[in-house]
Amino acid sequence: ETAERKEMMEEIIMSCYDAATCADKESKGKAAEPFTADLIISNPTTYSHVHLAEAMGVPIHMFFTMPWSPTSQFPHPLGGVAYKELTGKEKAKLESSSDKGDVKEMDSFLQNIAKLQAAKTKKSDENSYSYSTVDWLMHMGMGEILQKFRTKHGLSKKWKEGADIVNARQLPFAYIWSPSLIPKPEDWGANIDIVGFCELKGSGFSGDPPAEIKVWLEKDPEKPPIFIGFGSCVLPDPRKVAEKIFFAAQKAGVRVIIQQGWAELGSSLNGKDGVSFVKGTKLDDGSESEGYDIKAHDFALVIGRVAHSWLFDHVTGVVHHGGAGTTYAGLKAAKPTFIAPFFGDQPFWGQMVSAAGAGPEPLGVDEWEVDALAENFRAMCGTPMKKAAKRLSDAMAKENGAAKSIDAIYSHLHFHQMHCDLLLDDVARYYVPNWKLRLGDRGMKIMEKHKPSWFPKIMGTVHRYKSMDWTVAGVPTFFEDNVESIANAEIKITEQDIKIALRNLKAIIDERAESKNETHVKFVHPEPRLRI
């Protein structure tokens, strides 16, 4: 399985260059349009990210939904430090260990955060080191493939920064979560932004609500249910989990909606008093439900797929696996959130929600006990958690993650290194060293077809431009090989383009003739039209 995964990752990594430089091969019957990226937006787990930017000589901006930049405030979500160890059975194991460290003094992750804010501690060192550990492990797995990628695209096989390349080169990094939930750590630099959760306008639920669910909700409008669902997560024992939910809901006196998901959670509750099934949901004998009796006295409803953006507005709390998107959906709806993490960044989100007071401490389903689960259900219906969730929801409503993301991208771009000298709203792709001239697609075509008679022949002296050379601190340079031919038949230019370009060319030549040094003329210019 490891060999298969590595082969899959190699295919992804090696395909990145074509994805950033070639025409779209999946153009749905239309002629493929030429494409070359001016900017790369990537997450850390594509691995090729900065290597691709180096090969192309373009800027890069990292984005992710969980922390990947070293901080003493909290550990890397994949680093195995301080998340699961402070809850349930894992905490008990540590407390009974002979090497307790400072765990015995910490009753919760919140106290640990308070300690880190007060002074640098052994735990804070472990937190920071966890990021290096994850980077190193990733590097050990992907380093050989990345060397192959670099060799193929004319880069040195090895790079001096090793596993720490993203942090060592101080790439701009934007994190997609609400600063009201997780403020920016004080030890993160100016290259890092917290932009907020991102959501497309109009992407929420807009159809008719599912009739059976709507009717069931309206049976007891004064007692909205708690939603429980784990999506595509694989449950260790769905029958046992469903039974605990059933008895805990009974004990707490709450209504629950159980979403089946891939594990078909709740199908084993068929025949139990107080449980109804929406039409089409799976039963434990393999058949599908024909629907439920609206007059039945029930407290649990088992459902199939449904839009969270609609349902979460009609429940009193949500229980889920802790994916970043589902966490956002629950908090946006101002619902107390109890996270039962399975893997990855889910323990991180569980602790952050709990730290904000908007939900119980996270606990995996394999550690659930009926009494404790019932107590969590009651707490989610209580005023303190509801107020905390509402406070976060109100703060998120004032945020615009998508707009802040665009602001972050543009604030870190070096526009003075990117624009064409002749047409200032074009991105430079070519460079003429003899004339220190940067040209975009339209500018290049004008210089080929409409250059002044006094200007020498341009082909043979043209190089591909690097708006950022990542081997020399991001300064602009150019590729050594001459460009032999340029396919620009599809590039459209107007008479106005020609007029402006030739006027700017003359201004540049005149300026340099009068100047003692031959540096580029600095123009006040609009933002280039980037292809991302």
Side-chain angles (χ1 to χ4, degrees), residues 291-304:
Y292 68 92
D293 181 3
I294 189 62
K295 296 179 181 179
H297 295 287
D298 52 20
F299 64 89
L301 181 69
V302 180
I303 66 171

Side-chain angles (χ1 to χ4, degrees), residues 379-410:
M380 293 169 72
C381 298
T383 301
M385 286 187 185
K386 284 185 175 182
K387 280 187 175 180
K390 181 66 165 60
R391 184 174 63 250
L392 287 173
S393 176
D394 290 345
M396 290 177 182
K398 298 173 184 176
E399 299 166 3
N400 187 332
K404 192 80 181 288
S405 296
I406 298 300
D407 289 344
I409 291 169
Y410 276 85

Side-chain angles (χ1 to χ4, degrees), residues 7-8 14 30 35 42 47 74 84 90 110 133 164 173 200 203 220 227 235 261 340 369 386 398 454 488:
E7 185 179 336
M8 178 184 69
M14 299 305 290
K30 297 180 181 178
F35 178 85
S42 178
Y47 303 107
F74 39 71
K84 285 189 174 180
E90 294 300 318
L110 282 174
T133 302
D164 194 41
F173 215 130
L200 287 174
S203 62
D220 194 351
F227 166 86
L235 299 180
E369 299 296 343
K386 284 185 175 182
K398 298 173 184 176
W454 50 265
N488 58 11

Side-chain angles (χ1 to χ4, degrees), residues 195-217:
V195 297
F197 288 104
C198 295
E199 183 177 21
L200 287 174
K201 268 192 173 181
S203 62
F205 181 80
S206 58
D208 295 326
E212 284 186 282
I213 301 177
K214 185 172 182 291
V215 169
W216 190 84
L217 290 168

